[in-house]
Amino acid sequence: RFGDDLTTIYKRQGPKVIAYEKLARADTQEVARRAWDMAGRNNGVRIKVDDDGVGGGVVDKLRELGAAVVPVHNGGTPFDDTRFTTVADEMWFGFAERVNTADIPDDDDLMAELAGRLYKYTPHDQRKIEPKEDFRKRYGRSPDSADGLLLCFYNPQQGQLSRFSADRLGL
């Protein structure tokens, strides 16, 4: 909240990102209203929100507005805990396995973030993305655009890329 990181909101229809927005220094109330507007104020559109940290305030406001909000805990237990340590790992690698089927914006920051995040293997052969702090040291910023995009395509119930059948927002 009011930090150096950006808030990114992506909307997709099927495999194509049809709108996106980057917000700097926006409070949780403003972020929730912008996401709700991007959803067309339609409670049939699921809005996925990173619920860790200050995202909880966004989730609360979206619920108050009547949105179909889906809280996602990036640090939580992944659907496939044999391959990944956290939901964030599952989002990153699940998207990488299916990236050829997605139509994403031609955005230089987004491309650098998607290509630049390093990873390692744990002693249990799980893939683990590098901490944001390490990425930030190398690039001078957090991978906010990539995180928002991956959230937009993530299916928290199945731990994989969502089917391309309906509008989705990621925040």
Side-chain angles (χ1 to χ4, degrees):
R1 179 174 164 192
F2 304 121
D4 293 333
D5 291 351
L6 293 175
T7 296
T8 57
I9 306 170
Y10 287 86
K11 181 178 183 178
R12 72 178 176 87
Q13 187 166 27
K16 182 178 179 63
V17 172
I18 58 173
Y20 70 101
E21 188 172 356
K22 297 178 185 183
L23 307 172
R25 301 193 169 289
D27 68 35
T28 57
Q29 304 295 297
E30 175 69 12
V31 170
R33 288 184 187 105
R34 299 290 277 271
W36 186 227
D37 286 346
M38 192 177 282
R41 296 183 176 242
N42 178 349
N43 64 5
V45 175
R46 293 186 318 153
I47 303 174
K48 291 175 264 180
V49 177
D50 175 358
D51 196 30
D52 296 330
V54 298
V58 176
V59 169
D60 293 344
K61 183 63 178 180
L62 283 167
R63 284 184 176 148
E64 179 184 306
L65 293 169
V69 64
V70 179
V72 177
H73 297 281
N74 287 346
T77 303
F79 185 81
D80 185 353
D81 61 2
T82 61
R83 295 176 58 204
F84 311 109
T85 64
T86 65
V87 167
D89 301 329
E90 191 166 61
M91 281 194 294
W92 275 83
F93 294 109
F95 186 78
E97 291 168 0
R98 296 172 179 85
V99 71
N100 292 334
T101 59
D103 187 354
I104 62 176
D106 184 14
D107 175 295
D108 290 340
D109 290 336
L110 173 62
M111 297 306 161
E113 292 170 16
L114 287 171
R117 193 100 181 241
L118 301 176
Y119 70 95
K120 65 180 182 177
Y121 285 92
T122 71
H124 301 288
D125 291 326
Q126 297 164 303
R127 289 189 283 179
K128 176 79 183 148
I129 57 174
E130 74 177 322
K132 281 189 180 185
E133 296 76 30
D134 293 353
F135 182 93
R136 188 179 281 120
K137 285 177 190 173
R138 288 185 299 110
Y139 283 88
R141 67 175 192 277
S142 181
D144 302 319
S145 293
D147 284 347
L149 178 80
L150 300 180
L151 183 60
C152 181
F153 281 94
Y154 183 65
N155 183 341
Q157 289 77 31
Q158 297 176 359
Q160 61 189 13
L161 203 67
S162 293
R163 294 191 185 276
F164 299 134
S165 60
D167 289 344
R168 300 285 188 263
L169 290 175
L171 172 67

